Amino acid sequence: MVKILFVCHGNICRSAMAEFVMKNLVKKAGREKDFLIESAATSTEELGNDMYPPAKAKLREEGVPFTRHYARQITKADYNNYDLLIGMDSENLFYMNRYWNNDPENKIHLLLEFTGSDREVADPWYTGNFDSTYDDVLKGCTKLLEL
């Protein structure tokens, strides 16, 4: 089983979208038993909050099912509990590496790294562009499913 934790700043937009997009792709592929997929934040700002309404609207528009989401912060235990710790941007990676002692097992990656790009997933909280974020998340998660 591959255990994946998607990480962004607040866990209400990008990482939450990635969690549900990946779960949907895995379900469609009939591989639900092959993956554990969750998401978390590097910050404490949104703890306990549901996914941001425009993120939910975009998932609905794309036909991606989701459930009530509770934003949570990464924990020390997450490093041992997951095989892949996937950040959305370089700031996320900075805090993840700092929190998990510089990633001794090489588990920390940018999502779009799996597509052959070193580009970050733009934060729709600031850009307002949930279409672009969704497209990036879908590309990254589709490639992850091919692992």
Side-chain angles (χ1 to χ4, degrees):
M1 174 178 284
V2 179
K3 299 174 185 175
I4 301 171
L5 184 67
F6 292 104
V7 180
C8 70
H9 181 77
N11 191 216
I12 62 168
C13 294
R14 296 173 293 173
S15 61
M17 289 175 74
E19 174 185 345
F20 292 111
V21 166
M22 187 68 181
K23 285 179 176 178
N24 190 48
L25 291 172
V26 164
K27 183 175 183 173
K28 285 181 176 181
R31 297 185 59 198
E32 291 172 289
K33 293 181 181 178
D34 297 338
F35 291 89
L36 171 70
I37 304 154
E38 296 182 345
S39 63
T42 58
S43 77
T44 60
E45 293 171 33
E46 300 289 345
L47 296 184
N49 288 341
D50 196 359
M51 199 175 354
Y52 191 47
K56 292 194 284 189
K58 183 61 186 173
L59 292 179
R60 273 191 210 99
E61 177 185 317
E62 297 294 338
V64 176
F66 58 89
T67 57
R68 169 62 164 93
H69 176 73
Y70 295 89
R72 74 167 183 93
Q73 188 179 31
I74 57 176
T75 67
K76 294 287 185 190
D78 287 336
Y79 193 84
N80 291 324
N81 292 339
Y82 294 91
D83 303 305
L84 292 169
L85 304 159
I86 301 175
M88 302 294 135
D89 63 36
S90 59
E91 183 177 300
N92 304 148
L93 295 188
F94 172 81
Y95 286 109
M96 293 162 70
N97 274 292
R98 187 169 151 192
Y99 196 78
W100 289 315
N101 202 23
N102 293 316
D103 191 22
E105 297 177 38
N106 195 33
K107 295 180 176 190
I108 298 174
H109 303 274
L110 273 176
L111 177 59
L112 292 179
E113 177 183 317
F114 296 96
T115 68
S117 173
D118 61 356
R119 197 170 52 78
E120 300 178 345
V121 176
D123 192 341
W125 178 265
Y126 299 106
T127 68
N129 189 341
F130 286 83
D131 295 334
S132 178
T133 299
Y134 177 82
D135 290 345
D136 284 346
V137 164
L138 181 60
K139 286 176 193 167
C141 289
T142 299
K143 287 296 185 182
L144 270 174
L145 188 59
E146 295 173 7
L147 294 179

